[in-house]
Short mmCIF file of all heavy atoms in Angstrom, two decimals:
data_model
loop_
_atom_site.label_atom_id
_atom_site.label_comp_id
_atom_site.label_asym_id
_atom_site.label_seq_id
_atom_site.Cartn_x
_atom_site.Cartn_y
_atom_site.Cartn_z
N ASP B 198 -178.48 -149.42 128.06
CA ASP B 198 -178.92 -148.33 128.93
C ASP B 198 -180.04 -148.77 129.79
O ASP B 198 -181.12 -149.20 129.33
CB ASP B 198 -179.44 -147.19 128.01
CG ASP B 198 -179.59 -145.92 128.75
OD1 ASP B 198 -178.92 -145.75 129.76
OD2 ASP B 198 -180.43 -145.10 128.35
N MET B 218 -174.28 -158.73 146.30
CA MET B 218 -175.54 -158.06 146.51
C MET B 218 -175.31 -156.55 146.65
O MET B 218 -175.98 -155.74 146.00
CB MET B 218 -176.20 -158.58 147.83
CG MET B 218 -177.46 -158.07 148.23
SD MET B 218 -178.11 -159.29 149.41
CE MET B 218 -179.38 -158.39 150.24
N GLU B 219 -174.31 -156.20 147.49
CA GLU B 219 -174.09 -154.79 147.69
C GLU B 219 -173.60 -154.09 146.47
O GLU B 219 -174.00 -152.99 146.18
CB GLU B 219 -173.11 -154.57 148.88
CG GLU B 219 -173.74 -154.92 150.16
CD GLU B 219 -172.74 -154.81 151.36
OE1 GLU B 219 -171.82 -153.92 151.24
OE2 GLU B 219 -172.87 -155.55 152.31
N LEU B 222 -176.47 -153.65 143.95
CA LEU B 222 -177.46 -152.61 144.33
C LEU B 222 -176.85 -151.23 144.21
O LEU B 222 -177.54 -150.25 143.75
CB LEU B 222 -177.92 -152.81 145.78
CG LEU B 222 -178.68 -154.11 146.10
CD1 LEU B 222 -179.13 -154.25 147.46
CD2 LEU B 222 -179.87 -154.25 145.10
N GLN B 223 -175.56 -151.12 144.54
CA GLN B 223 -174.90 -149.85 144.36
C GLN B 223 -174.81 -149.40 142.86
O GLN B 223 -175.09 -148.27 142.52
CB GLN B 223 -173.51 -149.82 145.03
CG GLN B 223 -172.85 -148.47 145.17
CD GLN B 223 -173.72 -147.50 146.01
OE1 GLN B 223 -174.21 -147.85 147.10
NE2 GLN B 223 -174.01 -146.37 145.41
N ILE B 225 -176.91 -150.31 140.63
CA ILE B 225 -178.21 -149.93 140.13
C ILE B 225 -178.46 -148.42 140.44
O ILE B 225 -178.94 -147.69 139.53
CB ILE B 225 -179.33 -150.82 140.97
CG1 ILE B 225 -179.28 -152.25 140.36
CG2 ILE B 225 -180.70 -150.17 140.81
CD1 ILE B 225 -180.15 -153.18 141.12
N VAL B 226 -178.10 -147.97 141.61
CA VAL B 226 -178.29 -146.56 141.97
C VAL B 226 -177.38 -145.68 141.06
O VAL B 226 -177.82 -144.73 140.49
CB VAL B 226 -177.87 -146.28 143.44
CG1 VAL B 226 -177.99 -144.82 143.73
CG2 VAL B 226 -178.80 -147.02 144.35
N GLY B 229 -178.59 -145.79 137.51
CA GLY B 229 -180.06 -145.50 137.32
C GLY B 229 -180.65 -146.69 136.50
O GLY B 229 -181.57 -146.39 135.66
N SER B 230 -180.22 -147.90 136.72
CA SER B 230 -180.72 -149.01 135.92
C SER B 230 -181.96 -149.59 136.58
O SER B 230 -181.89 -149.95 137.71
CB SER B 230 -179.64 -150.09 135.70
OG SER B 230 -178.57 -149.52 135.00
N ALA B 231 -183.04 -149.78 135.87
CA ALA B 231 -184.24 -150.35 136.48
C ALA B 231 -184.28 -151.85 136.38
O ALA B 231 -185.14 -152.42 136.99
CB ALA B 231 -185.46 -149.70 135.80
N LEU B 252 -182.90 -164.34 146.73
CA LEU B 252 -184.21 -163.75 146.90
C LEU B 252 -184.21 -162.43 147.71
O LEU B 252 -184.92 -161.53 147.34
CB LEU B 252 -185.14 -164.75 147.64
CG LEU B 252 -185.61 -165.91 146.87
CD1 LEU B 252 -186.41 -166.94 147.73
CD2 LEU B 252 -186.39 -165.51 145.68
N LYS B 253 -183.21 -162.36 148.65
CA LYS B 253 -183.08 -161.08 149.36
C LYS B 253 -182.62 -159.95 148.46
O LYS B 253 -183.05 -158.87 148.56
CB LYS B 253 -182.07 -161.26 150.52
CG LYS B 253 -182.65 -161.93 151.75
CD LYS B 253 -181.62 -162.10 152.81
CE LYS B 253 -182.08 -162.97 153.94
NZ LYS B 253 -180.97 -163.34 154.83
N ALA B 256 -185.50 -158.81 146.41
CA ALA B 256 -186.41 -158.00 147.27
C ALA B 256 -185.85 -156.61 147.54
O ALA B 256 -186.55 -155.62 147.45
CB ALA B 256 -186.72 -158.71 148.59
N ALA B 257 -184.50 -156.59 147.83
CA ALA B 257 -183.90 -155.23 148.09
C ALA B 257 -183.91 -154.37 146.85
O ALA B 257 -184.21 -153.24 146.88
CB ALA B 257 -182.46 -155.50 148.60
N ALA B 258 -183.62 -155.03 145.68
CA ALA B 258 -183.66 -154.21 144.48
C ALA B 258 -185.05 -153.64 144.17
O ALA B 258 -185.21 -152.55 143.76
CB ALA B 258 -183.19 -155.15 143.28
N ARG B 259 -186.05 -154.49 144.51
CA ARG B 259 -187.41 -154.09 144.26
C ARG B 259 -187.76 -152.86 145.23
O ARG B 259 -188.38 -151.86 144.73
CB ARG B 259 -188.41 -155.13 144.55
CG ARG B 259 -189.75 -154.94 143.84
CD ARG B 259 -190.86 -155.84 144.42
NE ARG B 259 -191.25 -155.49 145.80
CZ ARG B 259 -191.99 -154.43 146.07
NH1 ARG B 259 -192.47 -153.64 145.18
NH2 ARG B 259 -192.23 -154.14 147.39
N LEU B 260 -187.31 -152.92 146.34
CA LEU B 260 -187.53 -151.78 147.34
C LEU B 260 -186.88 -150.51 146.77
O LEU B 260 -187.38 -149.43 147.01
CB LEU B 260 -186.97 -152.10 148.67
CG LEU B 260 -187.80 -153.03 149.62
CD1 LEU B 260 -186.99 -153.39 150.86
CD2 LEU B 260 -189.13 -152.37 149.93
N MET B 261 -185.83 -150.67 146.04
CA MET B 261 -185.16 -149.50 145.48
C MET B 261 -185.76 -149.07 144.12
O MET B 261 -185.42 -147.96 143.61
CB MET B 261 -183.64 -149.79 145.23
CG MET B 261 -182.90 -150.02 146.51
SD MET B 261 -181.36 -150.81 146.22
CE MET B 261 -180.68 -149.84 144.87
N GLY B 262 -186.67 -149.86 143.63
CA GLY B 262 -187.31 -149.47 142.39
C GLY B 262 -186.68 -150.13 141.16
O GLY B 262 -186.87 -149.67 140.06
N ALA B 263 -185.98 -151.26 141.35
CA ALA B 263 -185.44 -152.01 140.25
C ALA B 263 -185.91 -153.39 140.26
O ALA B 263 -186.32 -153.89 141.29
CB ALA B 263 -183.88 -151.96 140.26
N GLU B 264 -185.89 -154.04 139.08
CA GLU B 264 -186.35 -155.39 138.99
C GLU B 264 -185.19 -156.35 138.64
O GLU B 264 -184.34 -155.94 137.80
CB GLU B 264 -187.42 -155.46 137.85
CG GLU B 264 -188.20 -156.75 137.87
CD GLU B 264 -189.16 -156.77 136.70
OE1 GLU B 264 -189.40 -155.80 136.06
OE2 GLU B 264 -189.67 -157.97 136.46
N SER B 286 -191.61 -167.81 142.75
CA SER B 286 -192.75 -167.42 141.89
C SER B 286 -192.86 -165.90 141.71
O SER B 286 -193.37 -165.41 140.70
CB SER B 286 -194.00 -167.92 142.46
OG SER B 286 -194.29 -167.39 143.76
N GLN B 287 -192.25 -165.12 142.60
CA GLN B 287 -192.31 -163.66 142.51
C GLN B 287 -191.17 -163.14 141.70
O GLN B 287 -191.04 -161.91 141.57
CB GLN B 287 -192.26 -163.06 143.83
CG GLN B 287 -193.48 -163.43 144.76
CD GLN B 287 -194.78 -163.01 144.25
OE1 GLN B 287 -194.97 -161.85 143.87
NE2 GLN B 287 -195.69 -164.01 144.08
N VAL B 288 -190.28 -164.04 141.23
CA VAL B 288 -189.09 -163.55 140.53
C VAL B 288 -189.12 -164.00 139.05
O VAL B 288 -189.50 -165.18 138.77
CB VAL B 288 -187.83 -164.18 141.18
CG1 VAL B 288 -186.55 -163.66 140.59
CG2 VAL B 288 -187.86 -163.88 142.68
N SER B 289 -188.72 -163.11 138.20
CA SER B 289 -188.66 -163.54 136.78
C SER B 289 -187.40 -164.40 136.62
O SER B 289 -186.34 -164.03 136.99
CB SER B 289 -188.45 -162.35 135.88
OG SER B 289 -189.55 -161.41 136.08
N THR B 290 -187.59 -165.58 136.03
CA THR B 290 -186.47 -166.48 135.79
C THR B 290 -186.37 -166.87 134.25
O THR B 290 -187.51 -166.99 133.65
CB THR B 290 -186.51 -167.80 136.62
OG1 THR B 290 -187.78 -168.36 136.35
CG2 THR B 290 -186.35 -167.48 138.05
N LYS B 291 -185.23 -166.95 133.75
CA LYS B 291 -185.06 -167.35 132.36
C LYS B 291 -183.89 -168.34 132.28
O LYS B 291 -182.99 -168.41 133.10
CB LYS B 291 -184.68 -166.07 131.52
CG LYS B 291 -185.81 -165.12 131.34
CD LYS B 291 -186.76 -165.69 130.22
CE LYS B 291 -188.12 -164.98 130.28
NZ LYS B 291 -189.17 -165.71 129.57
N LEU B 300 -185.95 -160.33 127.60
CA LEU B 300 -187.03 -159.93 128.48
C LEU B 300 -186.80 -158.47 129.00
O LEU B 300 -187.72 -157.63 129.07
CB LEU B 300 -187.14 -160.90 129.67
CG LEU B 300 -188.17 -160.58 130.71
CD1 LEU B 300 -189.56 -160.53 130.21
CD2 LEU B 300 -188.07 -161.61 131.84
N GLN B 303 -187.68 -155.97 126.42
CA GLN B 303 -189.08 -155.83 126.29
C GLN B 303 -189.67 -154.99 127.42
O GLN B 303 -190.48 -154.07 127.23
CB GLN B 303 -189.79 -157.23 126.32
CG GLN B 303 -189.66 -157.91 124.98
CD GLN B 303 -190.05 -159.38 125.07
OE1 GLN B 303 -190.45 -159.85 126.17
NE2 GLN B 303 -189.98 -160.08 124.03
N LYS B 304 -189.17 -155.23 128.61
CA LYS B 304 -189.66 -154.53 129.73
C LYS B 304 -189.35 -153.08 129.71
O LYS B 304 -190.02 -152.20 130.33
CB LYS B 304 -189.12 -155.17 131.12
CG LYS B 304 -189.87 -156.38 131.54
CD LYS B 304 -189.25 -156.95 132.81
CE LYS B 304 -189.91 -158.22 133.25
NZ LYS B 304 -191.11 -157.99 134.01
N THR B 305 -188.28 -152.70 129.01
CA THR B 305 -187.96 -151.30 128.86
C THR B 305 -188.49 -150.72 127.50
O THR B 305 -188.00 -149.72 127.03
CB THR B 305 -186.41 -151.07 129.00
OG1 THR B 305 -185.70 -151.86 128.06
CG2 THR B 305 -185.97 -151.32 130.35
N GLY B 306 -189.37 -151.50 126.89
CA GLY B 306 -190.01 -151.02 125.66
C GLY B 306 -189.18 -151.10 124.44
O GLY B 306 -189.31 -150.26 123.58
N ARG B 307 -188.28 -152.08 124.41
CA ARG B 307 -187.40 -152.22 123.22
C ARG B 307 -187.49 -153.69 122.76
O ARG B 307 -188.09 -154.53 123.35
CB ARG B 307 -185.99 -151.92 123.54
CG ARG B 307 -185.69 -150.60 124.15
CD ARG B 307 -184.24 -150.39 124.23
NE ARG B 307 -183.85 -149.13 124.86
CZ ARG B 307 -183.65 -149.00 126.17
NH1 ARG B 307 -183.75 -150.02 126.95
NH2 ARG B 307 -183.24 -147.82 126.65
N SER B 319 -186.46 -149.38 118.93
CA SER B 319 -187.46 -149.12 119.88
C SER B 319 -188.74 -149.62 119.30
O SER B 319 -189.06 -149.47 118.16
CB SER B 319 -187.52 -147.63 120.15
OG SER B 319 -187.81 -147.44 121.50
N GLY B 320 -189.62 -150.17 120.13
CA GLY B 320 -190.91 -150.65 119.67
C GLY B 320 -191.14 -152.07 120.00
O GLY B 320 -190.34 -152.73 120.74
N ALA B 321 -192.17 -152.62 119.49
CA ALA B 321 -192.54 -154.03 119.75
C ALA B 321 -191.52 -155.02 119.19
O ALA B 321 -191.10 -154.90 118.09
CB ALA B 321 -193.92 -154.34 119.23
N GLY B 322 -191.08 -155.87 120.03
CA GLY B 322 -190.16 -156.94 119.56
C GLY B 322 -190.86 -158.24 119.47
O GLY B 322 -192.02 -158.35 119.87
N ALA B 324 -192.13 -161.66 120.62
CA ALA B 324 -192.33 -162.24 121.86
C ALA B 324 -191.41 -163.40 122.12
O ALA B 324 -191.13 -164.12 121.18
CB ALA B 324 -193.80 -162.64 121.98
N ALA B 325 -191.00 -163.56 123.36
CA ALA B 325 -190.02 -164.64 123.65
C ALA B 325 -190.71 -165.99 123.43
O ALA B 325 -191.80 -166.20 123.79
CB ALA B 325 -189.55 -164.51 125.10
N VAL C 101 -192.78 -144.82 146.10
CA VAL C 101 -191.72 -144.44 147.00
C VAL C 101 -190.40 -144.53 146.20
O VAL C 101 -190.15 -145.53 145.55
CB VAL C 101 -191.59 -145.46 148.22
CG1 VAL C 101 -190.45 -145.17 149.02
CG2 VAL C 101 -192.90 -145.41 149.01
N GLY C 103 -186.10 -143.65 145.58
CA GLY C 103 -184.76 -143.31 146.06
C GLY C 103 -184.26 -144.02 147.29
O GLY C 103 -183.32 -143.56 147.98
N MET C 104 -184.81 -145.22 147.59
CA MET C 104 -184.31 -145.96 148.82
C MET C 104 -182.83 -146.31 148.62
O MET C 104 -182.49 -146.90 147.54
CB MET C 104 -185.16 -147.16 149.06
CG MET C 104 -184.82 -147.81 150.41
SD MET C 104 -185.74 -149.32 150.73
CE MET C 104 -187.34 -148.68 151.09
N GLN C 105 -182.02 -146.06 149.59
CA GLN C 105 -180.64 -146.37 149.49
C GLN C 105 -180.41 -147.90 149.61
O GLN C 105 -181.11 -148.59 150.33
CB GLN C 105 -179.84 -145.67 150.66
CG GLN C 105 -179.86 -144.21 150.61
CD GLN C 105 -179.15 -143.62 149.34
OE1 GLN C 105 -178.18 -144.23 148.96
NE2 GLN C 105 -179.65 -142.60 148.86
N PRO C 106 -179.35 -148.38 148.92
CA PRO C 106 -179.05 -149.83 148.97
C PRO C 106 -178.94 -150.40 150.38
O PRO C 106 -179.52 -151.48 150.69
CB PRO C 106 -177.72 -149.99 148.20
CG PRO C 106 -177.68 -148.81 147.28
CD PRO C 106 -178.43 -147.73 148.00
N ALA C 109 -182.28 -150.74 151.89
CA ALA C 109 -183.07 -151.79 151.28
C ALA C 109 -182.58 -153.11 151.85
O ALA C 109 -183.40 -154.01 152.27
CB ALA C 109 -182.94 -151.70 149.77
N ILE C 110 -181.30 -153.37 151.91
CA ILE C 110 -180.73 -154.62 152.45
C ILE C 110 -181.24 -154.82 153.86
O ILE C 110 -181.65 -155.94 154.27
CB ILE C 110 -179.19 -154.58 152.37
CG1 ILE C 110 -178.71 -154.61 150.89
CG2 ILE C 110 -178.60 -155.75 153.15
CD1 ILE C 110 -177.25 -154.39 150.72
N LEU C 112 -183.83 -153.49 155.46
CA LEU C 112 -185.29 -153.75 155.49
C LEU C 112 -185.59 -155.17 155.15
O LEU C 112 -186.41 -155.85 155.79
CB LEU C 112 -186.02 -152.90 154.53
CG LEU C 112 -186.59 -151.56 155.06
CD1 LEU C 112 -187.36 -150.86 153.95
CD2 LEU C 112 -187.50 -151.82 156.27
N VAL C 113 -184.93 -155.76 154.15
CA VAL C 113 -185.18 -157.14 153.71
C VAL C 113 -184.76 -158.03 154.87
O VAL C 113 -185.45 -159.05 155.26
CB VAL C 113 -184.47 -157.44 152.46
CG1 VAL C 113 -184.53 -158.95 152.14
CG2 VAL C 113 -185.10 -156.69 151.25
N GLU C 114 -183.58 -157.80 155.48
CA GLU C 114 -183.07 -158.56 156.52
C GLU C 114 -184.03 -158.52 157.76
O GLU C 114 -184.24 -159.50 158.45
CB GLU C 114 -181.70 -158.08 156.96
CG GLU C 114 -180.80 -159.13 157.56
CD GLU C 114 -180.39 -160.15 156.56
OE1 GLU C 114 -179.86 -159.87 155.49
OE2 GLU C 114 -180.62 -161.37 156.89
N LEU C 117 -189.01 -157.09 156.20
CA LEU C 117 -189.99 -156.13 155.73
C LEU C 117 -189.78 -155.92 154.24
O LEU C 117 -188.94 -155.13 153.84
CB LEU C 117 -189.84 -154.81 156.51
CG LEU C 117 -191.07 -154.06 156.80
CD1 LEU C 117 -192.01 -154.83 157.69
CD2 LEU C 117 -190.62 -152.72 157.51
N THR C 118 -190.54 -156.64 153.37
CA THR C 118 -190.37 -156.44 151.97
C THR C 118 -191.35 -155.50 151.32
O THR C 118 -191.30 -155.18 150.13
CB THR C 118 -190.33 -157.77 151.23
OG1 THR C 118 -191.50 -158.49 151.60
CG2 THR C 118 -189.11 -158.62 151.59
N LEU C 119 -192.34 -155.06 152.13
CA LEU C 119 -193.35 -154.06 151.68
C LEU C 119 -193.93 -154.41 150.29
O LEU C 119 -193.81 -153.51 149.39
CB LEU C 119 -192.71 -152.66 151.68
CG LEU C 119 -192.06 -152.19 153.02
CD1 LEU C 119 -191.34 -150.90 152.87
CD2 LEU C 119 -193.15 -152.09 154.08
N PRO C 120 -194.55 -155.51 150.14
CA PRO C 120 -195.04 -155.90 148.80
C PRO C 120 -196.07 -155.00 148.26
O PRO C 120 -196.21 -154.85 147.07
CB PRO C 120 -195.58 -157.33 149.05
CG PRO C 120 -195.85 -157.40 150.54
CD PRO C 120 -194.83 -156.49 151.20
N GLY C 121 -196.75 -154.26 149.03
CA GLY C 121 -197.87 -153.39 148.55
C GLY C 121 -197.36 -151.99 148.04
O GLY C 121 -198.15 -151.25 147.56
N ILE C 122 -196.09 -151.74 148.23
CA ILE C 122 -195.58 -150.44 147.84
C ILE C 122 -194.95 -150.43 146.46
O ILE C 122 -194.15 -151.28 146.07
CB ILE C 122 -194.59 -149.91 148.89
CG1 ILE C 122 -195.21 -149.76 150.27
CG2 ILE C 122 -193.91 -148.60 148.50
CD1 ILE C 122 -194.30 -149.24 151.30
N ARG C 123 -195.35 -149.42 145.64
CA ARG C 123 -194.63 -149.31 144.40
C ARG C 123 -193.37 -148.44 144.59
O ARG C 123 -193.35 -147.53 145.37
CB ARG C 123 -195.57 -148.55 143.38
CG ARG C 123 -196.78 -149.33 142.98
CD ARG C 123 -197.47 -148.72 141.84
NE ARG C 123 -198.68 -149.46 141.45
CZ ARG C 123 -199.89 -149.27 142.04
NH1 ARG C 123 -200.02 -148.31 142.94
NH2 ARG C 123 -200.89 -149.99 141.63
N THR C 124 -192.36 -148.78 143.84
CA THR C 124 -191.06 -148.13 143.98
C THR C 124 -190.48 -147.73 142.73
O THR C 124 -190.81 -148.26 141.65
CB THR C 124 -190.07 -149.04 144.69
OG1 THR C 124 -189.96 -150.27 143.95
CG2 THR C 124 -190.49 -149.33 146.14
N ALA C 125 -189.58 -146.74 142.74
CA ALA C 125 -188.82 -146.30 141.57
C ALA C 125 -187.45 -145.82 142.05
O ALA C 125 -187.30 -145.47 143.19
CB ALA C 125 -189.57 -145.22 140.76
N LEU C 126 -186.51 -145.82 141.12
CA LEU C 126 -185.15 -145.53 141.47
C LEU C 126 -184.98 -144.05 141.89
O LEU C 126 -184.22 -143.77 142.82
CB LEU C 126 -184.21 -145.79 140.25
CG LEU C 126 -183.83 -147.27 140.05
CD1 LEU C 126 -183.00 -147.37 138.77
CD2 LEU C 126 -183.07 -147.80 141.20
N ASN C 127 -185.62 -143.12 141.19
CA ASN C 127 -185.42 -141.72 141.50
C ASN C 127 -186.72 -140.98 141.21
O ASN C 127 -187.66 -141.51 140.71
CB ASN C 127 -184.22 -141.15 140.73
CG ASN C 127 -184.31 -141.54 139.28
OD1 ASN C 127 -185.39 -141.44 138.68
ND2 ASN C 127 -183.19 -141.90 138.64
N LYS C 130 -187.98 -141.12 137.45
CA LYS C 130 -188.60 -142.43 137.14
C LYS C 130 -189.87 -142.55 137.86
O LYS C 130 -190.88 -143.13 137.34
CB LYS C 130 -187.64 -143.55 137.38
CG LYS C 130 -186.51 -143.70 136.40
CD LYS C 130 -185.78 -145.03 136.55
CE LYS C 130 -185.01 -145.37 135.33
NZ LYS C 130 -183.86 -144.49 135.07
N ASP C 148 -197.39 -156.19 140.95
CA ASP C 148 -197.53 -155.81 142.33
C ASP C 148 -196.61 -154.55 142.62
O ASP C 148 -196.25 -154.32 143.72
CB ASP C 148 -197.18 -156.98 143.22
CG ASP C 148 -195.73 -157.36 143.09
OD1 ASP C 148 -195.11 -157.01 142.10
OD2 ASP C 148 -195.23 -158.08 143.94
N GLY C 149 -196.24 -153.87 141.57
CA GLY C 149 -195.57 -152.65 141.86
C GLY C 149 -194.17 -152.58 141.42
O GLY C 149 -193.41 -151.63 141.73
N GLY C 150 -193.67 -153.55 140.76
CA GLY C 150 -192.31 -153.52 140.17
C GLY C 150 -192.29 -152.38 139.20
O GLY C 150 -193.28 -152.12 138.41
N ALA C 151 -191.24 -151.64 139.18
CA ALA C 151 -191.10 -150.47 138.32
C ALA C 151 -190.83 -150.93 136.90
O ALA C 151 -189.63 -151.09 136.56
CB ALA C 151 -190.07 -149.54 138.76
N ASN C 152 -191.81 -151.33 136.15
CA ASN C 152 -191.53 -151.81 134.82
C ASN C 152 -192.00 -150.89 133.73
O ASN C 152 -192.42 -151.33 132.64
CB ASN C 152 -192.04 -153.22 134.67
CG ASN C 152 -193.44 -153.40 135.18
OD1 ASN C 152 -194.12 -152.42 135.41
ND2 ASN C 152 -193.84 -154.62 135.41
N VAL C 153 -191.90 -149.61 133.94
CA VAL C 153 -192.19 -148.67 132.90
C VAL C 153 -190.81 -148.20 132.46
O VAL C 153 -190.02 -147.65 133.29
CB VAL C 153 -193.10 -147.54 133.37
CG1 VAL C 153 -193.07 -146.43 132.30
CG2 VAL C 153 -194.47 -148.02 133.59
N GLY C 154 -190.53 -148.32 131.16
CA GLY C 154 -189.24 -148.02 130.75
C GLY C 154 -188.86 -146.56 130.51
O GLY C 154 -189.72 -145.71 130.73
N ALA C 155 -187.66 -146.34 130.06
CA ALA C 155 -187.19 -144.92 129.90
C ALA C 155 -188.00 -144.28 128.84
O ALA C 155 -188.44 -143.10 128.99
CB ALA C 155 -185.69 -144.96 129.56
N ASP C 156 -188.25 -145.00 127.72
CA ASP C 156 -189.05 -144.37 126.65
C ASP C 156 -190.45 -145.01 126.70
O ASP C 156 -190.74 -145.97 126.05
CB ASP C 156 -188.37 -144.54 125.29
CG ASP C 156 -187.82 -145.94 125.14
OD1 ASP C 156 -187.94 -146.73 126.08
OD2 ASP C 156 -187.32 -146.27 124.05
N GLY C 159 -192.82 -146.09 123.61
CA GLY C 159 -192.58 -147.34 122.90
C GLY C 159 -193.11 -148.54 123.69
O GLY C 159 -192.93 -149.63 123.24
N ALA C 160 -193.74 -148.29 124.86
CA ALA C 160 -194.07 -149.44 125.73
C ALA C 160 -195.33 -150.15 125.38
O ALA C 160 -196.21 -150.32 126.20
CB ALA C 160 -194.12 -148.92 127.17
N ASP C 161 -195.42 -150.49 124.10
CA ASP C 161 -196.60 -151.26 123.73
C ASP C 161 -196.33 -152.79 123.68
O ASP C 161 -197.13 -153.61 123.37
CB ASP C 161 -197.11 -150.83 122.34
CG ASP C 161 -196.04 -151.02 121.26
OD1 ASP C 161 -194.92 -151.35 121.66
OD2 ASP C 161 -196.38 -150.94 120.14
N GLY C 162 -195.07 -153.06 124.18
CA GLY C 162 -194.41 -154.42 124.04
C GLY C 162 -195.38 -155.57 124.07
O GLY C 162 -196.51 -155.55 124.63
N GLY C 163 -194.87 -156.69 123.65
CA GLY C 163 -195.61 -157.95 123.58
C GLY C 163 -195.85 -158.44 125.01
O GLY C 163 -195.61 -157.76 125.98
N PRO C 164 -196.41 -159.70 125.13
CA PRO C 164 -196.62 -160.27 126.42
C PRO C 164 -195.30 -160.31 127.18
O PRO C 164 -194.28 -160.72 126.64
CB PRO C 164 -197.18 -161.69 126.12
CG PRO C 164 -196.78 -161.89 124.66
CD PRO C 164 -196.75 -160.58 123.98
N VAL C 165 -195.36 -159.85 128.46
CA VAL C 165 -194.11 -159.78 129.19
C VAL C 165 -193.66 -161.11 129.79
O VAL C 165 -192.50 -161.36 129.89
CB VAL C 165 -194.26 -158.63 130.26
CG1 VAL C 165 -193.22 -158.89 131.35
CG2 VAL C 165 -194.02 -157.29 129.60
N ARG C 166 -194.62 -161.89 130.21
CA ARG C 166 -194.17 -163.25 130.71
C ARG C 166 -194.98 -164.35 130.12
O ARG C 166 -196.24 -164.20 130.03
CB ARG C 166 -194.34 -163.30 132.20
CG ARG C 166 -193.31 -162.43 132.90
CD ARG C 166 -193.26 -162.70 134.36
NE ARG C 166 -192.84 -164.09 134.63
CZ ARG C 166 -192.69 -164.61 135.85
NH1 ARG C 166 -193.03 -163.88 136.85
NH2 ARG C 166 -192.32 -165.77 136.14
#
Side-chain angles (χ1 to χ4, degrees):
Chain B
D198 193 28
M218 182 163 163
E219 288 178 31
L222 297 180
Q223 193 55 53
I225 286 174
V226 177
S230 300
L252 287 177
K253 281 179 189 168
R259 200 197 69 77
L260 281 173
M261 292 163 50
E264 191 183 350
S286 61
Q287 299 299 306
V288 185
S289 304
T290 52
K291 286 283 163 196
L300 175 62
Q303 282 168 1
K304 280 180 184 275
T305 54
R307 301 185 184 96
S319 215
Chain C
V101 173
M104 188 184 288
Q105 296 296 324
I110 291 171
L112 264 185
V113 170
E114 208 66 56
L117 216 61
T118 51
L119 304 174
I122 296 183
R123 292 190 181 89
T124 54
L126 282 175
N127 49 42
K130 288 193 161 66
D148 63 344
N152 45 16
V153 168
D156 42 359
D161 61 348
V165 157
R166 287 192 66 181

